[in-house]
Amino acid sequence: MSFANTRWRVRRPKPFVLVIEGEDVPAASAKTCDYLHEQLLSPQWREAFYQLVDATGLVVCLNLHTEHPTYRDVRGRSSKGRLSQGEYYHHDGCTGPVKPRFVEIRCPIQPQTRGVATAVAPHRDVVKAMVQVLPAELASSAALVSQDMGTDALNQMDGSALEHLQGLITRTVRKKLNAEGARVYFRQVDEAANAYFEPWALGESRIIANGNSGVTMQHRRAYQTTHTGGVANGHLVKRWPNEELLLPGEMLDPAFLAALCSEEDDESAGGQAREVCALARDLKPALAPTNAKPTSPALDLTPIL
């Protein structure tokens, strides 16, 4: 793939996934670098890269060495007794009407590998899969029996309608199934939705289209075996690049960020969204709102898609 005046080694394990392995150079010439910030997200190429993620759904960057200060820890944890919010398929920044354009989840280079998968799939495919594998006794529950969950109805639903139906199904699963029963159900959803849940590699970033006009995705923390706790796992970090990674002259907008929440904030509040998410609470009072970012004209990405 040619992008940002560079040839890249890429592959497409699924139609909605583009994996960038690094620059297309001989192994002997390869160098350790932060190509995400130095090239793909440089001011000159940032919006073009964002449009590539919009059009693709999920862009995975491997062999990436960075310690950029904008990343923050993913603090959500799972218990043995119940599923956390992060284990259900969701968009990031889930409580506000305006969601972050992307969420980037990263597995830093660290001594401990990451054993818990992160499943990612297109939103409509997720909801269709949730309906497809839903046990009959759950489909006939009071919350769902009156819902039209036929194929034609699902194909005609807009994003809001899909989220409404998804919420009804998720709450029913949470109420009717125990934790491991729910995890088994969502593993079936992963398969039916053809989700991407490759094991995490150290130094890997996944940039997920989260709230956009293109291929909007959802993701979840996905245990592939019975969750018993007490197993060491590498940690993840995250950020919302479009809203947090600023171009020269831009400032963070505390009011916008305060309106967003993340799945780990929901979880630590017992399933009720906090009034102000941890990110917004940590912002310095001196930071003032900024005007909306200028939009760039749509780019023709056909040659690299």
Side-chain angles (χ1 to χ4, degrees):
M1 179 184 82
S2 294
F3 186 83
N5 295 330
T6 303
R7 290 284 300 174
W8 304 94
R9 297 191 316 276
V10 301
R11 53 187 171 87
R12 274 196 176 275
K14 294 183 183 293
F16 57 86
V17 182
L18 176 69
V19 177
I20 301 175
E21 298 179 342
E23 288 192 43
D24 186 14
V25 297
S29 303
K31 59 181 180 179
T32 298
C33 66
D34 182 1
Y35 66 83
L36 179 62
H37 296 93
E38 294 172 3
Q39 292 167 273
L40 302 179
L41 289 176
S42 65
Q44 178 184 2
W45 296 103
R46 184 172 302 178
E47 181 56 31
F49 180 68
Y50 285 168
Q51 290 184 25
L52 175 62
V53 182
D54 281 335
T56 303
L58 168 63
V59 174
V60 178
C61 296
L62 299 177
N63 307 310
L64 179 62
H65 293 254
T66 183
E67 295 182 358
H68 201 276
T70 55
Y71 294 106
R72 60 189 186 278
D73 285 339
V74 174
R75 295 187 306 269
R77 298 293 182 266
S78 301
S79 69
K80 290 180 288 184
R82 61 178 296 186
L83 265 65
S84 69
Q85 298 285 20
E87 292 183 73
Y88 302 105
Y89 273 103
H90 63 280
H91 295 292
D92 232 52
C94 52
T95 61
V98 179
K99 299 175 177 65
R101 184 176 178 183
F102 316 107
V103 57
E104 178 188 350
I105 305 175
R106 174 167 175 76
C107 185
I109 296 173
Q110 56 192 299
Q112 178 65 54
T113 57
R114 175 75 177 177
V116 181
T118 298
V120 186
H123 184 203
R124 189 177 302 275
D125 292 351
V126 167
V127 179
K128 286 183 175 180
M130 291 176 70
V131 171
Q132 177 184 333
V133 303
L134 189 66
E137 61 271 22
L138 270 63
S140 61
S141 64
L144 296 173
V145 68
S146 63
Q147 299 295 314
D148 185 352
M149 297 188 287
T151 301
D152 290 343
L154 292 172
N155 287 335
Q156 294 173 15
M157 288 181 182
D158 61 14
S160 296
L162 287 170
E163 287 193 357
H164 175 71
L165 176 59
Q166 183 178 28
L168 293 176
I169 297 173
T170 297
R171 286 189 290 274
T172 301
V173 168
R174 185 171 184 146
K175 180 179 179 181
K176 300 291 187 179
L177 300 181
N178 61 25
E180 284 311 312
R183 291 188 177 105
V184 169
Y185 167 75
F186 277 104
R187 284 194 283 271
Q188 295 173 338
V189 173
D190 294 340
E191 183 175 355
N194 192 30
Y196 182 86
F197 52 88
E198 294 295 318
W200 281 98
L202 298 180
E204 172 185 357
S205 276
R206 300 181 185 180
I207 300 96
I208 304 168
N210 179 71
N212 64 344
S213 59
V215 187
T216 299
M217 313 295 285
Q218 287 193 326
H219 63 283
R220 77 178 193 95
R221 187 187 310 120
Y223 292 94
Q224 297 306 301
T225 58
T226 301
H227 176 55
T228 57
V231 178
N233 263 295
H235 73 283
L236 300 176
V237 296
K238 66 182 283 188
R239 66 181 176 184
W240 300 318
N242 187 60
E243 288 76 25
E244 296 182 71
L245 189 61
L246 305 180
L247 291 168
E250 294 179 335
M251 300 178 68
L252 285 173
D253 184 346
F256 175 67
L257 292 177
L260 302 174
C261 77
S262 57
E263 70 273 18
E264 62 268 22
D265 293 317
D266 280 345
E267 176 184 346
S268 58
Q272 299 298 318
R274 290 179 176 178
E275 183 176 351
V276 179
C277 74
L279 171 63
R281 189 178 58 247
D282 292 342
L283 290 175
K284 295 181 180 179
L287 293 176
T290 183
N291 293 328
K293 295 185 180 183
T295 57
S296 299
L299 302 178
D300 182 7
L301 299 172
T302 304
I304 57 179
L305 292 176

